């Protein structure tokens, strides 16, 4: 299978890329940090050279900034051309304002990356997959999308956008003649550069464990997946809790 992972230079995306390549899949990885992409590619080709029987997939790299929507789409097409075709596209690129930056500039950046950049690539990949006749779109939302939070209002809102957007596209997928799947992935707290130094986290899992859960959700073509799965119950509570309670968080 050919997987494209957008935002694979660190954290969950990097862990997923390494896992998939070691499972024998071809992976196309993107991000703004070209040096990180090259390092991951080199690591995996060394693994392949040292254990040729292990069947490590090919790794393709493509520098991409999702906020530059037109250039990002050109980069996506270049990646697709290099890989031949794409079966699964994981839209994982994202930033947060967990660190408490609530300036208009920071919030606009979060929205431009997590919502505008996401939707631009998601919509175009959906059309591309429809033309191709098949494809699986996987978007990384968050448990944070279920509720607003004083520390990261723009981030929570951007992830609510991602989940609702994908719900609409899942309905479109069902109406399509093509074989299309849409998976909404909602991680809880994952230990990655994004959450470094963040306090009061619980049920934290490593990026590697998150990648295993994510791979499982992709293989099962789940409509929605919480990572780790126990967040589903917390998700229900958060979603239906009354405002007098959630406003006190
Ligand atoms: N960690 C958590 O607890 C947690 C929880 C829920 C959801 N999530 C979501 O999971 C996803 C991955 O986050 P992570 O925790 O693995 O954080 P991370 O290590 O900071 O990874 C973020 C990835 O997104 C890429 N990215 C950011 N801005 C980009 C841009 N403008 N253009 C292209 N790529 C960009 C980064 O690549 P470059 O910097 O190289 O561009 C990097 O590869 C995010 O969508 C995040 O919101 C994380």
């Amino acid at each position: 299978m050919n997987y494209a992972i957008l935002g694979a230079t660190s954290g969950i995306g990097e862990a997923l890329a390494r896992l998939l390549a070691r499972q024998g899949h071809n992976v196309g990885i993107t991000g703004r940090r070209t040096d990180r992409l090259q390092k991951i590619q080199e690591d995996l080709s060394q693994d392949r050279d040292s254990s040729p029987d292990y069947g490590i997939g090919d790794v393709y790299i493509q520098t991409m900034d999702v906020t530059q929507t037109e250039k990002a789409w050109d980069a996506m097409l270049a990646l697709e051309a290099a890989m031949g075709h794409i079966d699964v596209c994981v839209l994982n690129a994202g930033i947060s304002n967990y660190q408490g930056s609530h300036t208009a500039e920071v919030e606009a950046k979060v929205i431009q990356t997590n919502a505008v950049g996401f939707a631009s690539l998601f919509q175009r990949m959906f059309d591309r997959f429809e033309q191709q006749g098949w494809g699986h779109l996987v978007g990384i939302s968050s448990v944070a999308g279920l509720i607003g939070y004083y520390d990261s209002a723009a981030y929570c809102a951007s992830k609510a956008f991602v989940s609702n957007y994908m719900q609409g596209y899942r309905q479109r997928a069902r109406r399509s003649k093509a074989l299309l799947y849409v998976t909404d992935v909602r991680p809880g707290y994952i230990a990655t550069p994004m959450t470094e130094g963040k306090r009061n986290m619980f049920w934290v899992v490593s990026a590697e464990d998150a990648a295993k859960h994510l791979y499982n959700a992709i293989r099962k073509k789940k409509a929605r997946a919480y990572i780790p799965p126990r967040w589903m119950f917390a998700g229900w509570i958060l979603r239906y809790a009354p405002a007098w309670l959630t406003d006190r968080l």
Side-chain angles (χ1 to χ4, degrees), residues 7 9-10 12 32-33 64-66 92 155 159 188 190 192:
T9 52
S10 60
I12 302 168
R32 291 165 300 179
R33 289 170 289 172
M64 180 192 290
D65 181 344
V66 300
N92 172 69
Y155 179 75
K159 293 300 184 180
I190 317 294
T192 69

Side-chain angles (χ1 to χ4, degrees), residues 167-208:
Q167 187 163 36
Y169 269 87
R170 217 163 31 246
Q171 291 164 7
R172 283 195 58 190
R174 285 174 69 87
R175 286 168 168 76
S176 172
K177 289 193 175 73
L179 199 58
L180 302 176
Y181 300 95
V182 174
T183 300
D184 173 3
V185 179
R186 299 172 176 184
Y189 291 119
I190 317 294
T192 69
M194 183 180 278
T195 51
E196 223 167 73
K198 186 171 169 57
R199 282 182 286 176
N200 303 324
M201 295 198 294
F202 54 96
W203 292 350
V204 181
V205 298
S206 67
E208 289 70 26

Side-chain angles (χ1 to χ4, degrees), residues 17-120:
R18 290 180 186 273
L19 173 71
L20 290 171
R22 288 179 179 136
Q23 292 288 328
H25 298 292
N26 299 322
V27 290
I29 55 175
T30 80
R32 291 165 300 179
R33 289 170 289 172
T34 310
D35 56 332
R36 288 287 314 151
L37 295 171
Q38 287 166 341
K39 169 86 172 73
I40 296 164
Q41 189 183 41
E42 275 165 30
D43 285 354
L44 287 165
S45 46
Q46 271 171 19
D47 285 359
R48 187 198 286 121
D49 294 345
S50 57
S51 43
D53 298 335
Y54 200 55
I56 291 172
D58 293 331
V59 181
Y60 301 82
I61 61 174
Q62 178 65 53
T63 307
M64 180 192 290
D65 181 344
V66 300
T67 64
Q68 308 282 314
T69 52
E70 294 309 313
K71 285 187 185 160
W73 182 240
D74 289 344
M76 194 69 226
L77 292 177
L79 181 65
E80 186 196 48
M83 297 181 77
H85 74 276
I86 293 168
D87 300 296
V88 183
C89 181
V90 182
L91 290 98
N92 172 69
I95 56 171
S96 78
N97 60 332
Y98 276 143
Q99 314 314 335
S101 309
H102 299 289
T103 63
E105 197 188 358
V106 169
E107 292 204 347
K109 233 173 140 182
V110 170
I111 293 162
Q112 184 67 23
T113 306
N114 298 3
V116 178
F118 176 92
S120 169

